[in-house]
């Protein structure tokens, strides 16, 4: 079966339905927790159905067409209830900010629709005489209020130097990029095969687990990505206890200790877990960084990764 061969006819309609439900909930600050759980279950059902469709064709979601895969990844991302809660909170704040700005500009009769989604750019806006549709990149789900206000003002009334600087500054942070990378890698696996051309992830796991975790970690699902990635070389998906390693590392030119270091980094995500502090998702905590620095070839491996991510090892 060719990669990117499965097209899902109704997936965009399903996404639009979810966006509408999120907007309706976010518009009402008094929504109940069971409404969130119901929406979460709807997302899980849609995602499960998509995965079954792929499985019935002896494929995985990585075989979806590019547009279908992008929507699937977004839906899958929101099956994490913490992300869904954050999505609702941010949508609500964006809507309130928009309403206040429209009153200030004497345009309070304008209807506003807010969508936070897996967008190619930072934000988009479509505006008619009566309706403004604002679409914002998922990377902004946990942005500071000043950045969110800048996004709304730019979308409604055009760019300003100060707002553009605020928006672009946040879009270059690790927090913003991490969200987009997580979306990118959700559906990037063709088959969960730990054996690459040069490196076997099962063997490397056993070695790293014995050396750094006293063989105490339960092995997660291990797989190579279907494509070379340079922005991010590994990803741990906690919901499915799965580590995806970039195909870029499965190369004779890349030393084994470098692959081990990336695997060790992802295993630390499993070991330390995710912490939420005041609504912010913390994965690279102080404890995480201390553990990471205990890798025997930490400095050398870090230098190698800098070269790989900058493309200097091609």
């Amino acid at each position: 079966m060719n990669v990117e061969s499965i097209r899902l006819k109704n997936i965009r309609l399903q996404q639009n339905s979810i966006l509408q439900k999120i907007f309706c909930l976010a518009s009402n600050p008094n929504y109940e927790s069971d409404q969130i759980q119901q929406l979460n279950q709807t997302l899980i059902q849609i995602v499960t159905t998509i995965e079954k469709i792929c499985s019935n064709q002896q494929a995985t979601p990585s075989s979806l067409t590019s547009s279908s895969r992008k929507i699937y990844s977004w839906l899958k991302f929101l099956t994490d209830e913490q992300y869904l809660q954050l999505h609702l909170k941010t949508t609500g704040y964006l809507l309130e900010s928009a309403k206040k700005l429209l009153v200030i500009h004497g345009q309070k009769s304008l209807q506003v629709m807010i969508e936070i989604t897996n967008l190619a750019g930072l934000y988009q806006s479509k505006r008619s005489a009566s309706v403004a549709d604002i679409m914002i990149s998922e990377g902004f789900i946990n942005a500071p209020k000043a950045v969110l206000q800048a996004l709304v003002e730019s979308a409604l009334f055009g760019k300003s130097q100060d707002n553009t600087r605020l928006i672009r500054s946040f879009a270059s942070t690790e927090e913003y990029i991490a969200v987009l990378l997580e979306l990118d890698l959700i559906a990037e696996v063709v088959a969960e095969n730990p054996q690459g051309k040069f490196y076997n992830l099962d063997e490397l796991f056993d070695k790293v687990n014995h050396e750094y975790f006293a063989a105490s970690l339960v092995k997660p699902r291990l797989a190579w990505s279907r494509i070379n990635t340079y922005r991010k070389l590994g990803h741990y998906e906690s919901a499915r206890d799965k580590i995806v390693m970039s195909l870029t590392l499965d190369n004779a030119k890349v030393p084994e200790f470098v692959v081990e270091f990336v695997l060790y980094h992802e295993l630390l995500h499993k070991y330390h877990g995710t912490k939420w502090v005041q609504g912010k998702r913390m994965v690279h905590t102080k404890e995480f960084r201390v553990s990471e620095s205990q890798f025997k070839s930490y400095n050398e491996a870090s230098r190698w990764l800098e070269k790989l991510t900058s493309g200097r090892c091609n």
Side-chain angles (χ1 to χ4, degrees):
M1 177 174 290
N2 294 328
V3 173
E4 297 190 4
S5 60
I6 303 173
R7 181 174 173 270
L8 302 173
K9 293 180 181 178
N10 297 321
I11 192 168
R12 193 168 295 280
L13 288 174
Q14 289 175 316
Q15 182 190 34
N16 289 338
S17 173
I18 293 294
L19 283 166
Q20 188 64 48
K21 287 175 182 176
I22 288 171
F23 181 75
C24 288
L25 276 180
S27 302
N28 176 14
N30 300 315
Y31 58 79
E32 303 289 337
S33 60
D34 61 342
Q35 291 177 283
I36 298 173
Q37 290 169 2
Q38 187 177 354
L39 180 55
N40 185 246
Q41 285 302 309
T42 301
L43 283 158
I44 291 170
Q45 287 167 8
I46 294 171
V47 164
T48 302
T49 300
I50 293 168
E51 290 170 353
K52 282 181 180 177
I53 290 169
C54 295
S55 179
N56 289 341
Q57 297 190 44
Q58 297 182 321
T60 69
S62 64
S63 294
L64 294 169
T65 60
S66 178
S67 58
S68 291
R69 191 170 69 244
K70 196 169 185 178
I71 296 172
Y72 161 80
S73 296
W74 180 80
L75 293 165
K76 181 75 176 180
F77 180 75
L78 289 183
T79 60
D80 183 325
E81 198 169 324
Q82 290 274 20
Y83 281 138
L84 182 57
Q85 291 265 20
L86 202 52
H87 204 285
L88 283 162
K89 178 184 172 185
T90 303
T91 301
Y93 184 79
L94 288 163
L95 180 59
E96 284 305 308
S97 297
K99 287 178 178 177
K100 287 176 183 177
L101 281 167
L102 289 172
V103 169
I104 291 169
H105 285 80
Q107 299 179 32
K108 63 180 181 180
S109 62
L110 189 72
Q111 289 186 313
V112 179
M113 172 69 183
I114 306 282
E115 299 176 13
I116 307 175
T117 187
N118 196 356
L119 201 63
L122 299 178
Y123 67 92
Q124 293 177 10
S125 62
K126 297 175 184 176
R127 183 170 171 175
S128 66
S130 58
V131 180
D133 190 356
I134 301 172
M135 292 157 281
I136 289 170
S137 167
E138 197 69 35
F140 290 105
I141 57 167
N142 208 20
K145 289 182 177 180
V147 175
L148 298 176
Q149 289 168 4
L151 282 162
V152 171
E153 191 166 10
S154 298
L156 286 173
F157 304 109
K159 298 177 182 178
S160 74
Q161 199 170 24
D162 288 345
N163 283 341
T164 299
R165 186 173 62 251
L166 265 175
I167 293 165
R168 287 183 177 172
S169 178
F170 184 80
S172 66
T173 63
E174 183 180 347
E175 189 172 5
Y176 177 90
I177 293 166
V179 171
L180 298 191
L181 292 175
E182 188 159 345
L183 284 162
D184 283 349
L185 288 175
I186 283 175
E188 284 300 328
V189 185
V190 169
E192 291 184 7
N193 184 2
Q195 178 63 63
K197 287 184 180 179
F198 298 96
Y199 293 113
N200 184 298
L201 296 176
D202 279 339
E203 293 173 1
L204 293 180
F205 168 80
D206 290 340
K207 184 178 177 183
V208 171
N209 191 25
H210 177 77
E211 196 163 347
Y212 296 98
F213 301 99
S216 64
L217 275 186
V218 175
K219 183 166 70 175
R221 295 154 70 183
L222 299 167
W224 290 103
S225 67
R226 69 182 186 89
I227 58 171
N228 291 294
T229 59
Y230 295 95
R231 293 187 301 171
K232 189 175 176 75
L233 299 172
H235 173 68
Y236 175 61
E237 188 184 336
S238 59
R240 291 193 281 185
D241 192 26
K242 181 174 72 177
I243 289 175
V244 180
M245 298 282 282
S246 172
L247 208 57
T248 306
L249 296 168
D250 189 30
N251 190 312
K253 294 179 181 178
V254 179
E256 186 171 306
F257 73 87
V258 176
V259 187
E260 287 177 10
F261 178 56
V262 176
L263 180 59
Y264 175 61
H265 177 99
E266 300 310 324
L267 288 169
L268 286 175
H269 284 304
K270 174 181 169 73
Y271 181 74
H272 285 288
T274 299
K275 292 181 180 178
W276 289 82
V277 180
Q278 295 180 341
K280 290 199 171 189
R281 181 175 181 265
M282 305 285 289
V283 290
H284 295 139
T285 59
K286 183 180 178 182
E287 294 81 7
F288 182 99
R289 293 302 189 192
V290 169
S291 296
E292 185 182 44
S293 68
Q294 291 168 353
F295 187 79
K296 288 179 180 177
S297 303
Y298 175 78
N299 290 328
E300 193 177 357
S302 296
R303 285 194 294 271
W304 256 95
L305 293 178
E306 281 181 20
K307 288 193 291 182
L308 274 174
T309 53
S310 66
R312 285 178 282 159
C313 291
N314 294 347

